[in-house]
């Protein structure tokens, strides 16, 4: 295993259940501690990128819908919740004078050469100018994860982003109990 200090480019993926409760209330205490950690890493000259779940979960705060959501309801919650999610990130990163940049991607965009190159260039420029890239799957147009066709929420997107930018380390923050090798 490598020494953590040897990692220069780190992708941190945060799961919905880590960011918000079942009613869409954001865990500001967690975000505050994470923002401190990100600021510390950046002071150590580490490139940090965030893949943040939570838009659908956070969308529940202001929009009351049943527990079992239709696809359209999930998309509506994602559209509303993405705004609230970015407001929370901005609030906590501003305390450390860190600017943020939002990127919404789909799995398809990470697989197409031109789109993947564009994402890579955007991430590189955001890092170069000192912005923290915050990436989320665009649930309004990419519905495969919502429909349950892919397991892993933004985990797969975080892995693809890590590949695209040649990350040294991918950290998955989740409420899942450990590593699963099968169903």
């Amino acid at each position: 295993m490598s020494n953590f200090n040897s990692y220069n480019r780190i992708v941190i993926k945060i799961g919905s259940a880590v960011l918000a409760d079942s009613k869409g209330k954001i865990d500001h205490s967690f975000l505050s501690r994470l923002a401190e950690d990100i600021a510390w890493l950046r002071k150590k000259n580490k490139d940090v990128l965030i893949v943040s779940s939570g838009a659908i979960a956070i969308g529940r705060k202001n929009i009351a819908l049943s527990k079992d959501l239709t696809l359209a309801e999930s998309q509506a919650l994602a559209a509303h919740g993405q705004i609230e999610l970015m407001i929370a990130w901005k609030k906590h990163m501003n305390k450390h004078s860190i600017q943020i940049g939002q990127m919404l991607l789909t799995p398809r965009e990470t697989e197409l050469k031109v789109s993947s190159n564009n994402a890579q260039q955007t991430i590189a420029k955001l890092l170069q100018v000192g912005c923290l890239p915050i990436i989320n799957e665009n649930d309004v147009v990419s519905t495969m994860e919502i429909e349950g066709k892919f397991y892993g929420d933004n985990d797969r997107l975080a892995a693809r982003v890590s590949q695209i930018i040649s990350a040294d380390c991918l950290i998955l923050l989740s409420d899942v109990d450990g590593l699963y090798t099968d169903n």
Side-chain angles (χ1 to χ4, degrees):
M1 178 177 223
S2 298
N3 179 347
F4 190 76
N5 289 326
S6 68
Y7 301 138
N8 293 312
R9 185 161 283 180
I10 302 164
V11 175
I12 304 170
K13 185 268 179 181
I14 300 100
S16 296
V18 176
L19 280 173
D21 66 19
S22 62
K23 294 181 182 170
K25 184 175 181 232
I26 297 171
D27 185 343
H28 288 285
S29 175
F30 167 78
L31 265 180
S32 179
R33 292 188 312 273
L34 183 60
E36 287 177 23
D37 291 342
I38 292 167
W40 179 82
L41 286 167
R42 288 170 49 108
K43 285 179 184 168
K44 299 273 187 191
N45 295 317
K46 308 294 182 187
D47 288 338
V48 180
L49 293 85
I50 300 296
V51 176
S52 180
S53 296
I56 294 172
I58 293 168
R60 288 186 177 277
K61 180 181 172 193
N62 296 321
I63 300 175
L65 294 170
S66 68
K67 184 174 180 156
D68 296 320
L69 301 171
T70 67
L71 177 58
E73 289 170 337
S74 292
Q75 290 171 296
L77 289 176
H80 174 70
Q82 186 65 33
I83 295 166
E84 299 295 321
L85 178 63
M86 294 311 294
I87 289 170
W89 275 109
K90 184 173 177 56
K91 172 186 170 186
H92 289 282
M93 298 318 295
N94 276 350
K95 292 175 184 174
H96 301 280
S97 301
I98 298 173
Q99 297 299 310
I100 63 170
Q102 173 183 300
M103 293 179 66
L104 296 174
L105 297 174
T106 66
R108 180 165 170 75
E109 290 166 332
T110 66
E111 294 163 4
L112 298 172
K113 187 172 184 171
V114 171
S115 297
S116 178
N117 286 342
N118 288 339
Q120 181 185 36
Q121 291 173 4
T122 301
I123 290 167
K125 186 53 72 174
L126 285 169
L127 292 170
Q128 181 185 9
V129 299
C131 277
L132 173 70
I134 300 178
I135 303 163
N136 193 358
E137 185 165 343
N138 190 344
D139 291 325
V140 173
V141 297
S142 176
T143 61
M144 290 185 279
E145 187 274 320
I146 295 172
E147 293 174 312
K149 293 180 181 171
F150 287 111
Y151 178 77
D153 191 34
N154 278 313
D155 294 355
R156 188 168 157 246
L157 178 61
R160 284 294 299 138
V161 167
S162 295
Q163 289 176 321
I164 290 168
I165 63 153
S166 300
D168 302 308
C169 180
L170 169 59
I171 300 169
L172 302 175
L173 301 180
S174 173
D175 67 340
V176 175
D177 295 331
L179 177 66
Y180 293 94
T181 58
D182 58 29
N183 255 346

